Amino acid sequence: MSTDHDAAIDAAKQQIPSAAQAFAAWPAALPTGRFAVYGDVDLYQSGGFEDPRLVLYTGVSRLPSATVGWCLFGASRNVQPGKDRDTLPSGARETLSDTTVVRALQFLAVDHPETDEAAIEALAVPGVTSSLATLASAVHQNHEGRAVPLNCEVGTYVYAYHRGPVRVGTATADVVLIGSPIWIAKTETKEDQNQ
């Protein structure tokens, strides 16, 4: 990662709360509307969508107050920690047969301010957040046992959330955040630093 990129992330973190801060009062209170958070996430990345702009990031963060699942749809120009070209599992494809769900995630992938309101409206349609949480769960489950998640620091805009419990692979999430990444940065391990 370049120094400029690191500086841009550090500047963004000064403007938005960590996931632990945002969920400190869980379950009594949650941020409302579109909000931004950052946090460490054990993250998988998936392609395989008909729309080539779509990349799905799924993951889990274990916070002191809650277990958070992440369902993030990013434009392909976003920073990516290695692209997974696997096709989507059948459970995910079933979810994508719902045109309302597809419309919502396409708005998320455009990554343009004009689509924010449209994305929020599309996600407010009954059943859409539940379907996207199911999609994230199916995709995440498909990765587990076949790949090791990449530990990343993720900054994201959250457009909606789905209250759990929701199975995200082997974890049970109290809430699943649905949004679009601002940045994804690989977290260096001691092994990385020693190489």
Side-chain angles (χ1 to χ4, degrees):
M1 218 173 3
S2 74
T3 305
D4 289 345
H5 189 63
D6 288 342
I9 290 174
D10 287 342
K13 286 165 66 175
Q14 299 301 315
Q15 305 297 315
I16 65 177
S18 70
Q21 292 167 328
F23 288 88
W26 173 268
L30 264 177
T32 57
R34 178 178 172 249
F35 60 95
V37 295
Y38 69 90
D40 290 334
V41 187
D42 290 329
L43 198 70
Y44 289 119
Q45 177 181 325
S46 303
F49 293 90
E50 288 183 19
D51 186 337
R53 295 173 301 179
L54 288 173
V55 179
L56 170 62
Y57 304 94
T58 61
V60 175
S61 293
R62 288 174 177 82
L63 308 177
S65 57
T67 299
V68 175
W70 303 73
C71 175
L72 309 177
F73 291 94
S76 56
R77 70 180 181 81
N78 284 345
V79 179
Q80 298 178 28
K83 180 133 180 166
D84 182 348
R85 299 244 178 228
D86 287 347
T87 57
L88 296 171
S90 60
R93 296 208 173 276
E94 290 168 14
T95 303
L96 294 174
S97 65
D98 184 335
T99 56
T100 309
V101 171
V102 171
R103 181 172 178 266
L105 63 89
Q106 285 174 329
F107 283 131
L108 290 172
V110 170
D111 195 23
H112 192 281
E114 290 180 7
T115 65
D116 288 353
E117 189 174 326
I120 291 167
E121 287 177 8
L123 288 163
V125 173
V128 170
T129 60
S130 174
S131 293
L132 290 177
T134 299
L135 169 66
S137 178
V139 171
H140 200 83
Q141 180 68 43
N142 190 54
H143 282 292
E144 286 190 335
R146 300 188 313 115
V148 177
L150 191 59
N151 186 253
C152 294
E153 183 184 79
V154 174
T156 189
Y157 292 116
V158 177
Y159 292 87
Y161 58 84
H162 183 72
R163 286 183 180 267
V166 175
R167 294 291 296 171
V168 181
T170 56
T172 300
D174 297 301
V175 62
V176 176
L177 304 183
I178 299 167
S180 182
I182 304 168
W183 79 81
I184 297 172
K186 182 178 176 183
T187 303
E188 284 192 354
T189 64
K190 288 183 181 178
E191 291 80 20
D192 293 331
Q193 293 170 351
N194 292 335
Q195 290 180 355

